[in-house]
Amino acid sequence: MKPTTGGKMKNSALVKVTSLKRILESPSVVEQFKNSLKENSGAFASSLIELYSGDNYLQNCEPKAVVMEALKAASLKLPINKNLGFAWIIPRKNHGRLEPNFEIGYKGYIQLAMRTGQYLTINADGVPDNFIVKKDWLAGTYQFIEPVDETPSDTMQGYFAYFKLANGFEKTVYWKIDKIKEHAKRYSQSIGSKYSPWTTQFGSMAKKTLLSYLLRTYGIMSTEMMNVIAQEKPETYEDELNEGDEIPQKQEIISGEVVGEKPEVKQPDDKKDDSYVESLFDLEE
């Protein structure tokens, strides 16, 4: 009796997980994790094994490549637990092959900013549509006034990012929903798809976008923060699976991103190069 396809996939996953464990046990890799995380290196390695073992999509990436991306998170001392939202290792399709990519979440940006010791506070959130928004055009500051004796709405009229530095300088960026959607439409090739994170996790994407813009435009950044922003992957969504792939065709959330059927990709009118992809973080006010 021939083994089933499901059995082959399970065996392949087991081989990949075993290979990942062996890589993590190699002296050079152990040393690299210890250099970054000290006594917490063992716990981080265990969380990586748990992540890899429980993610069928990530198992289609080479174990060595996954470990290399995990080392980036370790060097920043950011956990890769999906539920925490600080950082993720996301499978993305590149020329028909899934590759792991380290990506930082908006909570990770906040952590890195606070570590500089220059920020008294930093925050990003949505503004309910029944709040009154007032802007001081000269100072560039905002007031978000909550209605009296009224429960805040669950519908957001916009999102903001804010910080205050130890020297007293503070800055707020506020974008209305229409502006955020226009940004997503311009920079996300999957906009309109039900699998796009702009559809499934709009709030998180909006907060991350505004925080990135605020920090790179007005903030004080450490070397590691500058490296993170410079190395952020473009939002290509080439990881979304095509019909005919061996991976099951269903909606699946992976590490803050969503994989599903591939949306129609439309190039900007002024760009003729098929390889052209605009970065998520090439923002303009």
Side-chain angles (χ1 to χ4, degrees), residues 51 62 81 89 97 101 103 114 116 137 146 162 174 182 215 230 232 245 249 279:
L51 172 69
E62 288 301 317
N81 185 307
I89 300 177
R97 182 179 181 181
N101 290 272
E103 184 168 316
M114 296 302 290
T116 67
W137 288 90
E146 184 176 357
Y162 164 82
Y174 169 71
E182 183 60 33
L215 291 172
E232 277 275 11
D245 287 342
Q249 296 297 304
S279 169

Side-chain angles (χ1 to χ4, degrees), residues 33-247:
F33 277 110
K34 281 187 175 180
N35 288 339
S36 296
L37 299 169
K38 310 303 180 190
E39 67 276 3
N40 296 319
S41 60
F44 188 94
S46 296
S47 70
L48 176 57
I49 294 172
E50 182 179 357
L51 172 69
Y52 192 69
S53 301
D55 193 322
N56 293 333
Y57 289 105
L58 200 57
Q59 289 165 13
N60 283 272
C61 302
E62 288 301 317
K64 183 177 180 180
V66 173
V67 172
M68 294 303 294
E69 294 302 296
L71 281 168
K72 295 178 182 179
S75 68
L76 297 173
K77 297 179 177 61
L78 292 175
I80 53 176
N81 185 307
K82 295 180 183 180
N83 298 322
L84 296 180
F86 289 94
W88 303 282
I89 300 177
I90 300 170
R92 291 185 183 276
K93 181 166 282 190
N94 182 20
H95 300 293
R97 182 179 181 181
L98 280 175
E99 296 179 348
N101 290 272
F102 166 72
E103 184 168 316
I104 189 170
Y106 80 91
K107 292 181 182 179
Y109 275 110
I110 292 175
Q111 283 290 312
L112 294 179
M114 296 302 290
R115 288 178 197 170
T116 67
Q118 300 294 326
Y119 294 83
L120 289 178
T121 186
I122 184 169
N123 188 30
D125 210 339
V127 180
D129 63 2
N130 59 347
F131 275 47
I132 298 173
V133 179
K134 291 186 177 181
K135 179 178 180 179
D136 183 329
W137 288 90
L138 184 62
T141 57
Y142 290 86
Q143 284 184 293
F144 305 110
I145 304 172
E146 184 176 357
V148 179
D149 299 328
E150 187 176 343
T151 302
S153 171
D154 292 332
T155 303
M156 301 299 150
Q157 60 178 296
Y159 284 79
F160 74 87
Y162 164 82
F163 71 68
K164 184 174 183 179
L165 297 178
N167 64 10
F169 176 75
E170 58 183 340
K171 184 64 181 177
T172 305
V173 172
Y174 169 71
W175 289 3
K176 294 182 179 180
I177 287 290
D178 287 346
K179 180 172 182 177
I180 296 173
K181 289 181 177 179
E182 183 60 33
H183 161 81
K185 182 178 179 181
R186 179 179 181 185
Y187 291 101
S188 170
Q189 294 192 10
S190 72
I191 195 67
S193 167
K194 64 181 179 179
Y195 301 111
S196 169
W198 279 106
T199 301
T200 62
Q201 302 179 53
F202 185 90
S204 293
M205 294 296 288
K207 286 184 279 188
K208 176 178 176 178
T209 299
L210 267 68
L211 269 174
S212 174
Y213 174 77
L214 178 69
L215 291 172
R216 62 182 279 182
T217 307
Y218 301 102
I220 294 176
M221 294 192 292
S222 63
T223 301
E224 65 178 7
M225 284 182 67
M226 289 188 285
N227 288 338
V228 165
I229 290 178
Q231 294 176 14
E232 277 275 11
K233 295 290 184 181
E235 189 192 46
T236 64
Y237 295 98
E238 292 174 350
D239 55 310
E240 294 175 350
L241 305 179
N242 296 308
E243 185 178 357
D245 287 342
E246 293 182 359
I247 303 174

